[in-house]
Amino acid sequence: MTETEIQRRRDAETSSIDRRAFLRVGVVGGVASLAAACGWDGGALLRPGLLDVSRVNDWVGEKILFSPTRLARTYSAAERSAMLPSYFISAMTPMLEEPAAWRLRVDGLVAQPLDLSLDDLMRLPRVSYNVKHHCVEGWSAIAGWHGVPVSAIVERCRPLPAARYISFASFDSGYTNGWDLSSAMHPQTILAYGMNDNPLPPAHGAPLRLYSPTKLGYKLTKYLVSMTFTDTRPGGYWEDQGYPWFGGI
């Protein structure tokens, strides 16, 4: 078999894997995601059913599909997409009035609360990768990200035994996300301060954003200001409107 034939077979296998991944996203996302994405909650009659579907999909995603050791595929820098769409909740791109005063607050059910500057984070272990970003709206794009593993923050703040979840909060009009601790500890879950070998740009969450290639885009909180450890499952901006809470792929 020639090198060209081998590459064609690899491309076909990759395409098949990507199609299966999106089919799984469709199952996990369910009707609730589609309704919420269209800005409609189904009304008083349909909304309870959508939330029930979402809860079942969350359980399947968290208890059956998620693996703490399965890694998302990585790519070369040459394979990066020409553009990665950006989104935010505010009317305009969120910007800090005093960037030097920004801190990441880590608190809640922890033995050691933390107050970290960007310089503090850059001194911690660093992870870099090029991965495919998946949006619940159906598009994907490849980009490079670098930052500190969430596991390194967990090691330093030392969560109490009761801590099972983390609430991530943003200065983007109060945008929040809730994560289970296992997903946050995945080796590819990072607090990204860089994109495509450059500092993280404002349109993509500067100065810091949550990132993981194992989650859909709406779970990846931009403009991060705090991580709060809790024993109860926190909601989130889209999750409270019917999007699946787990949001895994």
Side-chain angles (χ1 to χ4, degrees):
M1 185 178 293
T2 67
E3 291 186 6
T4 300
E5 291 172 328
I6 292 173
Q7 186 60 48
R8 285 176 179 169
R9 175 171 291 185
R10 287 175 178 169
D11 290 344
E13 290 173 349
T14 299
S15 177
S16 176
I17 291 171
D18 285 346
R19 284 195 298 272
R20 289 197 299 270
F22 272 108
L23 284 174
R24 187 168 67 184
V25 169
V27 172
V28 176
V31 179
S33 288
L34 296 177
C38 294
W40 177 63
D41 67 4
L45 294 178
L46 184 55
R47 183 170 175 78
L50 293 178
L51 294 177
D52 286 343
V53 170
S54 181
R55 282 191 287 269
V56 170
N57 288 332
D58 286 336
W59 185 89
V60 171
E62 184 175 356
K63 304 300 183 183
I64 297 178
L65 298 180
F66 174 74
S67 168
T69 58
R70 179 183 62 83
L71 299 180
R73 177 185 171 184
T74 57
Y75 300 80
S76 69
E79 295 175 283
R80 291 172 180 168
S81 302
M83 183 185 74
L84 180 70
S86 62
Y87 64 90
F88 37 82
I89 303 303
S90 301
M92 299 177 64
T93 304
M95 301 284 288
L96 290 168
E97 292 184 7
E98 299 182 54
W102 174 91
R103 295 291 186 274
L104 174 69
R105 179 64 180 170
V106 182
D107 57 16
L109 297 178
V110 296
Q112 180 61 59
L114 304 173
D115 200 49
L116 302 168
S117 69
L118 199 56
D119 286 340
D120 293 332
L121 292 166
M122 289 181 176
R123 284 191 286 267
L124 296 177
R126 170 171 157 164
V127 167
S128 301
Y129 49 50
N130 297 294
V131 291
K132 185 173 287 187
H133 180 101
H134 295 285
C135 179
V136 72
E137 294 177 347
W139 59 264
S140 63
I142 297 170
W145 306 92
H146 62 267
V148 57
V150 170
S151 60
I153 304 298
V154 171
E155 179 181 351
R156 285 157 178 78
C157 72
R158 306 196 310 277
L160 302 180
R164 296 176 56 204
Y165 303 97
I166 306 176
S167 178
F168 294 92
S170 164
F171 63 84
D172 177 16
S173 295
Y175 192 97
T176 62
N177 273 136
W179 280 49
D180 63 286
L181 189 56
S182 294
S183 291
M185 291 292 287
H186 186 278
Q188 289 179 313
T189 303
I190 66 173
L191 302 180
Y193 47 74
M195 177 183 177
N196 290 339
D197 305 320
N198 292 301
L200 189 67
H204 290 282
L208 190 72
R209 67 172 292 171
L210 179 63
Y211 200 84
S212 173
T214 69
K215 296 283 187 179
L216 289 166
Y218 68 87
K219 296 297 296 183
L220 310 179
T221 314
K222 299 181 179 72
Y223 312 104
L224 199 59
V225 293
S226 69
M227 297 170 53
T228 302
F229 289 75
T230 176
D231 57 353
T232 56
R233 195 176 87 164
Y237 180 87
W238 289 115
E239 295 87 337
D240 292 346
Q241 299 181 55
Y243 275 49
W245 186 88
F246 190 70
I249 56 176

